[in-house]
Amino acid sequence: MARRCELTGKGVLMGNTVSHALNRHRRRFLPNLINVTLISEALQRPVKLRISAAALRSVEHRGGLDAFLVKQDDADLSPLALGIKKEVRAALAG
């Protein structure tokens, strides 16, 4: 399972741990991923996603999963989230 947020595309970053003596060694910065079940009002069903804590705050700030998906760029979304976005657009249009 990839360590990548399904809504924002936030993933693992690489960097250095630097000691007081300026010795460096490589390390990984992992995103704060959580498994959540969000309710889509347009689809009237729950959706299970693995998203970052920052993405969860953004979803709540934008007014729910449906509003977040409509505004989010397609390049950042996972294939699962793209499918949900397509279903939400169809439900809102018809």
Side-chain angles (χ1 to χ4, degrees):
M1 183 181 305
R3 295 180 190 262
R4 184 164 297 277
C5 176
E6 294 188 83
L7 294 181
T8 60
K10 184 182 288 191
V12 177
L13 295 175
M14 300 298 289
N16 290 310
T17 297
V18 182
S19 71
H20 183 69
L22 298 182
N23 297 326
R24 292 172 170 85
H25 71 274
R26 298 298 284 177
R27 65 163 290 187
R28 298 168 70 196
F29 294 93
L30 300 177
N32 185 11
L33 296 179
I34 52 177
N35 294 316
V36 296
T37 302
L38 299 171
I39 297 174
S40 172
E41 295 174 3
L43 303 178
Q44 297 179 352
R45 66 178 172 94
V47 178
K48 287 187 178 183
L49 295 170
R50 188 168 190 226
I51 63 174
S52 64
L56 182 59
R57 288 194 304 271
S58 298
V59 167
E60 292 174 359
H61 179 74
R62 287 191 184 175
L65 179 64
D66 301 336
F68 181 88
L69 287 174
V70 169
K71 292 180 183 178
Q72 190 68 12
D73 189 26
D74 289 349
D76 295 334
L77 298 174
S78 70
L80 174 65
L82 278 174
I84 296 169
K85 180 178 181 177
K86 185 176 179 181
E87 290 179 36
V88 166
R89 279 192 176 165
L92 293 176

